[in-house]
Amino acid sequence: MPTAGARATLCVALLATPLLALAQSAILPQQRDAAGNVMEPLGQVLIASETGPSGLYDCTRDGNWCVRVQPVSEEGDRPTMLEVLEKVQGQGKPHSYRVSIDVPQESELSLWPWIVRLAPGVGSDEPVTDPQQRARQNVLVGGIVTFSAMYSGGGADASTLQLARVRHLQDDIQVDDDVLTVPWLGSAMIRACFSEQDIKQRAGACHDEYGFSAKLALDTVAGGMPVLRYQAVATRFPAGVSRFEDSLAKGPLKKKDLRSEQDPACTYTRLFHFREGMFHPDQELPDCAGYTEP
């Protein structure tokens, strides 16, 4: 009969490798920058332990870091925390940390299935002379908060990504809950026809459709804390529509308008640099509420 530890090891061995492919495809592949920081996908692993944390986690390939949305204790409660496990060499039970995510009412929390593992000595923000603490890795993890709204004949949803940092100090661990919050995904379908005349004017296209997606990557040139490259793409159908304008007030749609197009005002790239405890963009983000708010 295998021991509890053997069963846990077997679960990790069976599940870790094949399920790494489930990591979110919207983000650029694993990367390493010049400073040695690495962005790595997480794979689902079932941890079965009688003495420590158990359940389904998303873990690094080497199993040293695992993250999950912390289950709620009572039915009807909504999750607002991430649970982060760190496996330390020579210690049997992993260290457990909590990340608080801003999850408003009527929204849902899911895991960003990636982790940024900072290079040795990066991310503490203060000198660490204790050799054991200095050898431990600092990381960035994230949660995705999704909002939804229903409309007559349509609906919308949008999400934000919140990154947190776990860092090892001289004699303590600190969790910085919010070092970056950015728009992540969005979609909306807005009813545009209310009569036969509207259908004719809209050339049969009776919904305006809006889409927004973002991805995050490491900029390859970095000399310490990572520089995060954030790329956003916004699309709309028919061409030229806006959630802040009455589309029926415009002239009739033509065949050439019945296509999806990128909105140049909300399709952009920003580099986020770390200073004063937060990631800051190299330029202000544009106001794209029509795509990033439900």
Side-chain angles (χ1 to χ4, degrees), residues 77-212:
D77 289 348
R78 70 187 194 285
T80 60
M81 305 282 288
L82 300 180
E83 181 183 6
V84 183
L85 302 183
E86 179 194 13
K87 181 181 178 182
V88 180
Q89 188 174 6
Q91 300 181 21
K93 187 176 179 179
H95 294 260
S96 179
Y97 316 116
R98 300 291 184 272
V99 173
S100 178
I101 303 292
D102 182 14
V103 185
Q105 293 287 345
E106 308 302 326
S107 58
E108 297 181 356
L109 174 62
S110 59
L111 180 68
W112 183 57
W114 290 75
I115 189 171
V116 179
R117 305 174 77 167
L118 304 182
V122 172
S124 294
D125 288 356
E126 64 179 52
V128 178
T129 59
D130 179 88
Q132 291 184 331
Q133 285 290 93
R134 190 172 63 244
R136 293 169 67 180
Q137 195 170 49
N138 302 318
V139 297
L140 303 176
V141 297
I144 298 171
V145 179
T146 301
F147 315 77
S148 298
M150 297 299 296
Y151 305 112
S152 175
D157 59 74
S159 63
T160 59
L161 170 65
Q162 179 179 324
L163 292 190
R165 176 175 57 162
V166 177
R167 55 185 173 127
H168 299 83
L169 308 181
Q170 178 68 14
D171 55 2
D172 196 8
I173 307 296
Q174 179 163 320
V175 176
D176 303 314
D177 291 322
D178 188 357
V179 296
L180 173 70
T181 297
V182 288
W184 196 238
L185 294 172
S187 64
M189 179 180 288
I190 310 299
R191 183 181 179 185
C193 294
F194 301 90
S195 67
E196 290 295 328
Q197 178 61 33
D198 294 344
I199 296 174
K200 182 178 180 180
Q201 181 173 337
R202 295 275 304 188
C206 284
H207 286 90
D208 292 343
E209 299 176 16
Y210 303 88
F212 182 91

Side-chain angles (χ1 to χ4, degrees), residues 30-51:
Q30 177 178 336
Q31 293 190 8
R32 180 183 298 270
D33 64 21
N37 304 304
V38 176
M39 178 179 286
E40 177 181 342
L42 300 172
Q44 290 187 323
V45 175
L46 178 62
I47 298 178
S49 173
E50 296 177 0
T51 59

